[in-house]
Amino acid sequence: MDTLIPFDYGTLRVVWWVLLGALLIGFAVMDGFDLGVAALLPVVAKTDAERRVVINVVGPVWEGNQVWLITAGGAIFAAWPLLYAASFSGFYLAMMLVLIALILRPVGFKYRSKMEGTRWRNTWDGVLCFSGVVAALVFGVAMGNIILGVPFTFDAESLRPIYEGHFFQLFMPFALLAGVLSVAMLTMHGAVLLAWRTEDPISSRARNWGRLCALLTAALFAAGGFWVAGGVGGHTITSAVDMTGPSDPMLKTVTVQTGAWMANYAKWPLMWIAPALGVAGAVLAALLLTVRANMLAFLASAVSIIGVILTVGFSLFPFIMPSSTNPKAGLTVWDGSSSHLTLWIMVIAVAIFLPIVTVYTGWVYRVMRGKVTNDSVGDTPNSY
């Protein structure tokens, strides 16, 4: 059967590394502004009418945006089973916290306008804000821990993942910086969307918060880069790499050295484009907000998010989840994937369904284009 597949095993593994990155970028760009808008709700909207406007900017589209996260989880399960097993066991409590936040979000959207009481609506507005901040924070903390290395190993015979850390160990200083960066970045994205899709005074408040969060994103991202270069141990494979070999991470040898995560930038200098986009996109978003070029600011914010995520992927490659307790157990593109046939079948599925989803999403956003105002929200049953 493998002889009928037009791509070799090693190539398909890299293709799925690229696709996984694309799904994570899709989630951060598309659902990220939903989380950012929710986090900003108490500070950009002062009255109930203003809060209804803010919620209705993302209310009609958040469910479709969250499909990117669900798809990424499904892709990890099918294409990277060892990664799925190790990450979901290691980050179990953190992921439960994310799930609680993501479960509360639709409840908040659906129920906050079901009753007229101020206390009732303020409570659900607080729930929405909580869901946006907590989800963004935990996603960033998780990424920070992956850069630091996750305390896990595998049973040598069964490849059963064994997690050797605890919940509070996840919140180390660098991981917390990554978490705050994530909150600032997604809040920036939500703010520029509100500045673009609403009118004053909401738009002006969102513009002010967007500038602040954009500059904070650039500063935190740059600080994190210097920290990685000079104070975080990176992993390097020291044994021969068999790109078409079995998915057994215990067969390689790995060394850990401070600054090793910067090695790929020396090997492939074009990778410097990614961190440059991360910083420049955020700074440009702040400048564009100042001159009220709100739509361009949104695009710049999206570019910044793409640059940040690409920077993490480029820095770690070929690792996708390094181990801090047993470096040789760290998962790489070459030793953590499903079979050759499974990866090929999934590529076919992506080639069929991704264009359909993309076209449908584009059509939905075209229909929902334009500013959201008090008049457009009104008292219609479909508004939030």
Side-chain angles (χ1 to χ4, degrees):
M1 181 64 72
D2 285 357
T3 58
L4 301 178
I5 300 174
F7 300 100
D8 64 73
Y9 196 11
T11 300
L12 280 180
R13 283 168 158 170
V14 175
V15 166
W16 268 101
W17 175 76
V18 172
L19 288 175
L20 178 59
L23 290 172
L24 293 177
I25 288 172
F27 165 68
V29 172
M30 301 300 295
D31 201 34
F33 62 69
D34 296 333
L35 299 176
V37 166
L40 286 168
L41 183 60
V43 295
V44 298
K46 303 300 184 181
T47 66
D48 181 69
E50 290 178 353
R51 290 180 181 180
R52 289 193 69 200
V53 169
V54 169
I55 291 172
N56 276 274
V57 170
V58 297
V61 298
W62 72 267
E63 290 174 291
N65 293 339
Q66 195 162 283
V67 168
W68 288 94
L69 177 62
I70 298 170
T71 304
I76 292 173
F77 175 78
W80 309 95
L82 292 179
L83 173 63
Y84 182 89
S87 61
F88 275 68
S89 60
F91 296 139
Y92 180 77
L93 291 177
M95 289 187 175
M96 287 300 296
L97 187 58
V98 169
L99 284 176
I100 290 172
L102 295 181
I103 289 170
L104 287 174
R105 181 170 61 165
V107 177
F109 280 134
K110 297 298 183 181
Y111 281 93
R112 67 92 56 196
S113 292
K114 297 299 183 183
M115 293 177 62
E116 295 290 341
T118 300
R119 183 176 180 181
W120 171 269
R121 293 190 173 186
N122 288 344
T123 298
W124 287 115
D125 291 340
V127 167
L128 288 171
C129 179
F130 169 85
S131 69
V133 173
V134 169
L137 178 67
V138 175
F139 284 135
V141 167
M143 283 297 168
N145 275 278
I146 288 176
I147 294 172
L148 292 172
V150 182
F152 76 98
T153 187
F154 288 99
D155 179 273
E157 296 181 359
S158 64
L159 288 184
R160 178 177 62 88
I162 302 171
Y163 184 67
E164 300 176 336
H166 55 80
F167 177 72
F168 294 103
Q169 186 176 341
L170 299 176
F171 297 93
M172 291 180 285
F174 178 81
L176 286 175
L177 182 143
V180 175
L181 168 60
S182 176
V183 173
M185 180 176 71
L186 299 186
T187 303
M188 166 190 69
H189 204 42
V192 293
L193 178 73
L194 290 176
W196 174 25
R197 295 288 309 282
T198 64
E199 296 179 341
D200 288 337
I202 298 173
S203 181
S204 293
R205 296 184 193 125
R207 194 176 299 111
N208 292 335
W209 279 97
R211 285 196 297 264
L212 174 63
C213 292
L215 295 176
L216 187 60
T217 296
L220 289 173
F221 182 51
F226 284 112
W227 197 336
V228 168
V232 174
H235 295 221
T236 304
I237 300 174
T238 55
S239 57
V241 176
D242 185 357
M243 298 180 184
T244 60
S247 291
D248 185 348
M250 304 303 288
L251 298 178
K252 65 180 180 297
T253 58
V254 175
T255 60
V256 180
Q257 183 179 2
T258 299
W261 289 140
M262 306 301 295
N264 285 338
Y265 297 98
K267 188 175 182 180
W268 296 293
L270 283 177
M271 284 186 175
W272 281 107
I273 294 174
L277 290 176
V279 174
V283 173
L284 182 59
L287 294 175
L288 290 170
L289 284 172
T290 301
V291 298
R292 296 178 179 264
N294 298 324
M295 184 178 70
L296 293 177
F298 181 80
L299 296 176
S301 174
V303 167
S304 177
I305 292 173
I306 293 170
V308 170
I309 296 177
L310 286 178
T311 298
V312 175
F314 290 165
S315 299
L316 294 178
F317 185 83
F319 286 90
I320 50 178
M321 187 172 171
S323 169
S324 59
T325 55
N326 185 9
K328 68 180 292 185
L331 294 170
T332 72
V333 173
W334 321 121
D335 58 26
S337 71
S338 292
S339 68
H340 193 184
L341 179 60
T342 300
L343 295 182
W344 173 239
I345 292 174
M346 290 181 62
V347 166
I348 295 175
V350 169
I352 294 172
F353 292 107
L354 186 59
I356 296 174
V357 173
T358 302
V359 171
Y360 171 75
T361 301
W363 176 79
V364 169
Y365 277 92
R366 183 179 182 277
V367 171
M368 301 303 297
R369 70 188 184 278
K371 290 186 179 293
V372 180
T373 65
N374 285 327
D375 292 336
S376 67
V377 172
D379 296 319
T380 60
N382 292 325
S383 63
Y384 291 85

